[in-house]
């Protein structure tokens, strides 16, 4: 690895010895761009530090009270990673695994994902180590309101536009946006994405991630002089994204034959295609049971138990 | 240790495995207050978490350019630890050792130091891993301005009032306040303490820390039915604080006989008292040489070389 | 009526015993939606109260001085009725009849009118019990400026976007917007609708209300398998709205044969169509004389005196 | 009554036909100042309207969820009555009887009470029709937080400084101030009065109201060439105010012999004086039982049942 | 003159060739401080430019309508000269002679006048070329409101605190402060000085300027080992300032024997002392006739016609 | 000239005796519109003053330090000329000739240029008397950052949108926008135009000015029944604008045969057309040598030395 890159990485390792996810993703990235790092001006401008460390990170306590009247205190985060080309933008994750390392890793990757769209959008990430599983709607609402009481002054249309991520779906975005709207006294719908259609959300948002993935694949295959027509595709996972991939792949003439979940994977040799199977995917996801074996039972295909890698 | 306190500490250890200074000070504090933790309401309110973790921490990159035109990128911090009884207040430290652990440790201790004054003031801390030693005034000015460009929106008279600390003296406060004033377009003199007398600083600020220490000692001795009159005192260090202690101790009839520095310590059996010796202390500090042996040479007393503990 | 709806209405009646217009419109609405109110969750969320009462109402005194130097004090109102799906939006009415009941009634109806457009726009209303009739332009300007001095901090592009209504036409919107622009120091043209074309207003605004009405009618007729082609239409009023209806009806092949004013109504069996008659409508409105009999004289059709219902 | 005053009152009666408390207090006030209303400039400036109507009133919905998960929607009010001589200042009342009439009446009286202090303080009032009796602390906390979510943008040190009133004591002020502090991110202690001593409250606040009342009485008696020394005083009520009156009266040599509550009154011919009786008054108030008969039982004096007038 | 000072002055002359008052005062000041300008660091920091040029100047149009309905457009100014030691502070002058040169000259002098008080206050000045003479109160009110509509966003307690000056007395400050209060919705009484006592003004403000002048004189005389006792003093002018000088001089045992006005001067060999004469001075000033000969007629002393220098 | 116009001009001459550029452009404009000035309402509204004088002008000192450590102090300006039809918009010029007269002249002309586009955009201008020639990138960066520290609070998307002008190209806009973004903490890309494509700039911005000029010419020629096809065009200058004119003229079938620079002009009878010559124009401009003779040498055409008029 280039000397300057090496020094930047070593400094990170000393500064954040326990942030594995973050350090790993920075190292991979530095190795990837190594061929392009010869220019001595990069070090003169200390460009790499500004590309691998967040411009700003805010951490805050999120106190809330459960339905039994016990107070809890979670940790909230917002990493505003890089705004060089546009406002910060990235998801909010509510999951017990969320910590500084995870949100920095997510914000780092988001920065370059967003830049690749060609749009002037910067990168960010955030969330809390709150676990919404097993919590009542009222508990989730109170948590979201308390989280937004702290977050609201750091976000906004030109500043930082959060979206959902694991544990933050349409319901949570609704609670978050509702509190944001109440505190500011304005319906600044461009301050959060993932809102419901009825109050300012975007159409085809559900389809977007899967379609984009298949379009990208189509261009890659196309660059080799080939097409997706007639291809067979293996998909891991079975959420919104997988649903969108199955749907768009079918439209372009390809066939998805696998799905996976925490309980194992299924193999459907006839392809996960047709309205009935696609609708069932959304149904499985909404059931909250998080088991892909249901698909095997429903459509009589083989299920292979085992941990999702 | 109380079960609840134990769980709070364990959670901190898992969350911040490499933050030694912070974990150590929290552990000591929990042990100290252990006798008072029996009340089950404390856990129901999760009171301890809210007392040992900061309400908010902001970290930010501080880019600046040295006199040779090389860009540098330092890490800036502001830990707004606790505002339960009043606005955040605490120092800014510019030193290579500054990191999340150090500023959290400082902010934690500051919270309880401030509360002990009896005034409604909360606790905070901050700074940067910037090393002002060997830097020109212009470099320090540029660093301070860049630091304030990021910090200014988090501080203010009722919000958070920074002061100086290691590496942040009257000169740096001047640069910081100047930029704050320019960016806000207002001379909000209550937003920073440690300012020069000519532009809104406080009288007897130099004397305050030393006098307070000696007054505290006087009350401790007084509670035993004794007085400082005629006592002999050993002081470590030789900066503003030591100067103030020597000065006030002399006024109350006691005699300070030692000073120490990174190079060792001096023993002046006649006492560090009288205008000449006191003035020389300030002169030594201002010389920036950081060597207490100068005192020994100047006043013909014994110098004992050795590392300051 | 559903029990919950009944209780909500009774509470309103006790709280606002003298607000007839508002109570009447709420009662009608509750009766209309009665078939849909079975779900017990509605009461658990107290949904109806939040749908029939405004989220916020601001009332303020509006002092101004007439051309003779006498001070007057009017009552200004802004009812921000509901922002569940988007920013507040609704008209401003300057008329002696304006009071809390009237602006709440208007804001209530506006909420559901706006929602029916399918756009994410909330509902609002406002105005003052100021009577612009008989007032000089300078008096109206001073009143508008004083009104905006109080209103400006409650409105804005994502917050609340007022428009005109009775007594608030292009001239008044110009005075209001001018003061808003001066106080904020910015030309936030999306903070007020109804502005003149030259400084940020919308094209075809004049035509919009009438066209929308006829389009709506066309769809209603179409849902019965019929068309407007060859139909005869009776219109009440003779302002912008009526002008737009006559114009659009003619384009779709229908014929408007009546207009009415405070002085009575006219019957024009050949239809109010063609550039000459349409232009005369605008002329009559701009004359400020508020008499529809002028049309009868001008085009030799019959005039029927009588109070407009 | 003066003609102009009469017209002002008539206009109020037509505008607010059901606001009895407010109309009654305005009428009394106009009658009181009648002898001073001759100057024709008062009408030319429409001075009376500006003195008897609030400069601004904000009403807002306060949604909250009880411990059983049922949503409730209360009405919040803030009447910013008059700021001619200084920032708005006045209490917040949480009681089912609170409505527009009551808060306007309170704000009107507060304006002139504050002016009489000789300090440059304007008048205000506010509150909600929420009944804290029978509610758990968590319910009260949630209500206070929701109330402040709406109120916070209308108050502040130079703007409007709420205090407590019926149903809003130290606990409620604590919840309100905590949310205010969290939303603004600043400990603006001058934005609310009635705070606890530990976080910015005033000393002798408890004593203030009662002492002031007795000092006023002392001056009145003094103006007749007499003193309080040896006088006997009848007091109604038995809360903070009564406690302070008993305490200060005793200091000035007078003797309070009655107290009253919703259950009746007590007569203590030896005077409610001495630490034991004074302390018991505070204890009775804190018990929340709202019965003055306890005093009779405790000190063996006579109790007269009957409704407090 | 020092070379650097000379260059600074030449640059000003080229940049502002027509600003005589300002250039003259800068030149005088540079000549005065010439003996102290040897240090080469002053030029390295370009200190003089920053001391003789304003940090910021805002000029704005002030449209208003006279009682006949004719619009006028005046020029408003605010020169925020220097905030090195504290917030900007200085008067507002309404007089036809006001232009950029005059306000810069006034702001320049104010900076050093304020610094000499020893308080941390910066320097400013401002005003408009509006002539209040011959204007009705309503015209002056409208002008003041329009002026404040533009000025309000540049001033504030820590930012810039205007006061009165020629043409801006208690009445104008009242109109200005009223509009400031209305636009901000807060009674920020520290944003303007010169307010009436009833709404936040300072006691002994009237006496302050004259007393300060005599105290200064007293110290000057004292530094020569002498006292004011028995001295005779000649005063020019006959406004607030002169009144205060006569009053304080009498208290210290001296005697003022002259006053002057636009019409000439008076000589009162017995001294302008005693309640009657002092009160008459205030009466003359309030009459608005601006003629000192009235004093001669009233007290039978000699009047010497002639233009006030 | 119309009497009212004459008086307005005379007032300007007295008020700004040394502002030649500004006075000249106002005079020319008044002469041009003279035929339209008969309406007496114009004077009653004092319309002309409001059209020829800026609504607001801010001037501020811009301190900065060069690479040798010497401080410099330049003068910054922003003239917000007219917002009657939309937000202020206009360039920033960094050139030693910049002064109040020049920026007022530029803002005045910009107002009417912008209005002619038919878009609701007001007029502005600004800049500094800073000379970027011979300055290092770091010096320019520091100047731009200091300039923006003062300017940032006066601009914004709906307020005032600066662009580049002489001395302010893509590099300077980048420095200015970077500081703006850092100070506000938001990527408000609509607050400045002329940004690079990668961070929110507009496509075809480089081509826009030249294309617009040729389109305008095409309409003028077209109004005479002719076309540009086959026409020969003489162009002065050889920067972005000239490049765009050559390019668009060629597309419409015309031929540009001259270019000029500070060193003289070139005559290329075959036309400045084709990719090679067009690319060379951009190359000449970027070389910073500012000599058009290079074109003559490169393409073997004749060069005529002489000062550019």
């Amino acid at each position: 690895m280039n000397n300057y890159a090496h020094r930047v990485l070593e400094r990170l390792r000393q500064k954040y010895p326990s942030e594995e996810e973050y350090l790993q993703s920075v190292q991979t990235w530095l190795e990837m761009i190594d061929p392009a790092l010869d220019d001595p001006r990069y070090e003169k401008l200390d460009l790499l530090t500004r590309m691998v460390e967040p411009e700003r990170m805010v951490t805050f306590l999120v106190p809330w009270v459960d339905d039994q009247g016990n107070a809890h205190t979670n940790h909230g985060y917002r990493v505003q990673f890089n705004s060089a080309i546009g406002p910060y933008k990235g998801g909010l994750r509510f999951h017990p695994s969320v910590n500084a390392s995870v949100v920095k890793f997510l914000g780092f990757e988001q920065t370059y994902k967003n830049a690749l769209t060609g749009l002037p959008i910067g990168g960010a990430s955030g969330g809390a180590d709150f676990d919404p599983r097993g919590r009542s709607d009222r508990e989730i609402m109170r948590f979201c309101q308390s989280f937004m009481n702290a977050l609201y002054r750091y976000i906004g249309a030109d500043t930082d536009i959060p979206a959902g991520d694991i544990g933050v779906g349409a319901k949570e975005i609704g609670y978050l946006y509702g509190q944001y709207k109440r505190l500011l006294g304005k319906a600044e719908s461009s301050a959060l994405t993932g809102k419901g259609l009825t109050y300012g959300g975007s159409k085809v948002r559900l389809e977007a991630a899967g379609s984009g993935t298949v379009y990208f694949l189509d261009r890659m295959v196309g660059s080799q002089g080939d097409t997706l027509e007639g291809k067979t595709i293996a998909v891991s996972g079975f959420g919104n994204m997988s649903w969108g991939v199955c749907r768009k792949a079918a439209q372009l003439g390809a066939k998805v034959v696998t799905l996976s979940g925490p309980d194992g994977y299924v193999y459907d040799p006839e392809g996960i295609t047709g309205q009935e199977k696609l609708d069932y995917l959304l149904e499985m996801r909404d059931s909250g049971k998080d088991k892909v074996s249901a698909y095997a039972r429903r459509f009589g295909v083989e299920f292979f138990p085992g941990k999702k890698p």
Side-chain angles (χ1 to χ4, degrees), chain A residues 118-239:
Chain A
L119 298 171
I121 309 178
S125 184
D129 57 3
F130 168 75
D131 191 350
R133 278 177 304 186
R135 291 296 174 189
S136 71
D137 274 8
R138 282 187 286 141
E139 289 175 321
I140 291 175
M141 182 181 80
R142 283 199 293 272
F143 178 81
C144 287
Q145 289 174 344
S146 184
F147 184 85
M148 188 50 87
N149 284 350
L151 183 69
Y152 86 100
R153 73 172 61 86
Y154 307 113
I155 64 174
D158 285 326
T159 306
D160 185 355
I161 305 114
D165 189 283
I166 295 170
V168 180
K171 181 173 67 185
E172 289 77 15
I173 289 288
Y175 291 144
L176 291 164
Y177 181 63
Q179 186 72 353
Y180 183 79
K181 185 163 70 72
R182 190 156 193 232
L183 295 183
L184 262 73
K186 62 179 188 175
E188 187 189 356
S189 75
S190 40
L192 273 169
T193 55
K195 296 182 302 298
L197 264 178
T198 47
Y199 60 95
S202 303
K203 289 185 179 174
V204 302
R205 183 177 169 83
L206 191 64
E207 292 84 351
S211 293
T213 304
V214 178
Y215 285 138
F216 181 80
L217 185 64
D218 188 49
R219 297 289 167 92
M220 295 294 280
V221 169
S223 73
Q224 308 298 320
D226 201 350
T227 75
L228 281 185
E229 184 73 38
K231 292 283 184 303
T232 299
I233 296 174
V235 156
S236 71
F238 72 105

Side-chain angles (χ1 to χ4, degrees), chain A residues 6 9 24 40 46 60 64 70 78 81 117 122 132 174 197 234 289 295 298:
Chain A
H6 185 73
L9 185 57
Q24 178 58 41
D46 197 12
F60 44 88
W64 60 283
N70 297 307
R78 188 68 188 168
F81 212 93
T117 63
L197 264 178
K289 290 183 186 145
Y295 181 93
R298 174 77 170 72

Side-chain angles (χ1 to χ4, degrees), chain A residues 16 19 48 51 79 118 235 268 278 296 306:
Chain A
Y16 314 109
E19 303 194 356
L48 284 182
M51 294 182 85
V79 171
V235 156
D268 181 347
L278 288 172

Side-chain angles (χ1 to χ4, degrees), chain A residues 65-86:
Chain A
V65 181
D66 66 23
D67 287 345
Q68 284 68 49
N70 297 307
H72 299 258
T73 315
N74 283 95
H75 301 84
Y77 300 88
R78 188 68 188 168
V79 171
Q80 298 181 324
F81 212 93
N82 197 294
S83 66
I85 64 169

